[in-house]
Structures are given as structure tokens and as C-alpha cells.
Amino acid sequence: MVRIAFLIAIIAGLGMGGCATGPTTTGTTTVEQPYMLDAGDQLRVVIYEQPELTNIYRVEQAGHISMPLIGDIPARGLTTPEIEVAIASRLRATYLRNPDVAVEI
């Protein structure tokens, strides 16, 4: 009876382990999964040489950030490098010739 309970606990633990996020192990290699932005995340967006645009922005419930001059930018499900590209593209299309953007969570 104790062995059956022990086996059930092990099987349940293995099943729950698949639900966790974070490092994934494949054979002998561990692969880090990039963090995907979601509602409530605070992002420090730095636009070099543009202090009026550099600020801390929150990913809203709708999944976007709202920035002056360029409006709403979709953020949910993106990584920080992807949101950097999205912000730089929008700035390049509307406001700056060659924007240099950095984003930190």
C-alpha cells in the first residue's frame, strides 16, 4: 500500500514538472526560455539622447504600453529584444531617424 502511494506521488510530481516554466533540459543541455512580457510588467524604456521619451512604462491589461508620440505598442508575449525592435521601428517611422532603444524589466 505504501509503495502504491509512493509511486502515485512520483508520477504526479513528474506530471506537474512539465507545467513549470524556466530552464528546459534536453539530454545534457539546459535551454533557458526567454521571459515573455505580460500585463502588469514594468518596463524601463531608454531612448538614448531622448530624455523626454525615456521613462518607466507598465504593460496594461490590454497587453500594450502607451508611449508619448508613438502611442500604443503591443507588448504581451514579446521578449525585451522584440519590444526594443517594435519601439525603434515605430520611432523610426514617425519621429527619429536612427533611434537607439534599450528595455529592461
Side-chain angles (χ1 to χ4, degrees):
M1 194 64 140
V2 172
R3 287 183 182 171
I4 293 174
F6 180 72
L7 288 174
I8 290 172
I10 289 176
I11 292 169
L14 290 174
M16 296 299 286
C19 297
T21 59
T24 304
T25 303
T26 56
T28 58
T29 306
T30 300
V31 179
E32 287 289 328
Q33 299 298 322
Y35 180 77
M36 307 299 248
L37 299 173
D38 203 356
D41 288 340
Q42 287 189 14
L43 307 178
R44 180 172 182 262
V45 178
V46 178
I47 316 296
Y48 293 99
E49 298 183 15
Q50 300 297 319
E52 68 279 358
L53 295 175
T54 296
N55 207 340
I56 295 175
Y57 301 94
R58 180 180 294 272
V59 178
E60 298 176 7
Q61 288 296 334
H64 63 266
I65 60 172
S66 295
M67 293 184 64
L69 303 176
I70 58 175
D72 294 345
I73 299 172
R76 179 180 286 137
L78 298 181
T79 63
T80 52
E82 291 171 335
I83 192 80
E84 288 173 358
V85 169
I87 293 168
S89 295
R90 184 80 62 91
L91 286 169
R92 191 175 300 107
T94 59
Y95 184 65
L96 298 174
R97 181 170 293 169
N98 192 17
D100 190 3
V101 179
V103 176
E104 302 171 343
I105 299 174

